[in-house]
Amino acid sequence: MLRVMSRRGDDRVTWDEQKEGDPEATAAIREAERIFAQERAKGASAFRLDPGKPAQRIEDFDQTAEQIVLVPRVVGG
């Protein structure tokens, strides 16, 4: 699951890694990759979350992650 934090809460894109070759799962992964790249280009930080482990900051999309959270750049003012 890819979660993108925003003012509205969070937007989610989910996929099933086990359905390799399934057109719907492949499309969801491609969409998650696109969103990941778009948000990272805007300065968002990405974290991989795995049960029982501390959050791990990542630079590249990993479709095998159970959950990736994108946190937008914080702007002060």
Side-chain angles (χ1 to χ4, degrees), residues 1-73:
M1 175 188 312
L2 176 68
R3 296 175 59 196
V4 182
M5 301 295 122
S6 70
R7 292 181 209 165
R8 298 179 311 275
D10 64 324
D11 297 317
R12 300 173 185 210
V13 177
T14 60
W15 62 91
D16 187 348
E17 168 92 359
Q18 305 304 317
K19 293 185 177 180
E20 190 173 325
D22 178 64
E24 198 170 302
T26 300
I29 291 168
R30 297 296 164 248
E31 178 65 3
E33 286 177 314
R34 184 192 68 73
I35 293 168
F36 183 93
Q38 173 184 305
E39 294 300 317
R40 291 283 293 137
K42 293 180 190 175
S45 297
F47 299 90
R48 178 185 175 134
L49 304 177
D50 292 304
K53 296 181 181 178
Q56 175 186 4
R57 190 172 185 155
I58 59 174
E59 301 297 322
D60 300 309
F61 180 78
D62 182 356
Q63 73 183 42
T64 65
E66 183 160 327
Q67 192 172 153
I68 297 172
V69 177
L70 285 166
V71 180
R73 174 182 283 164

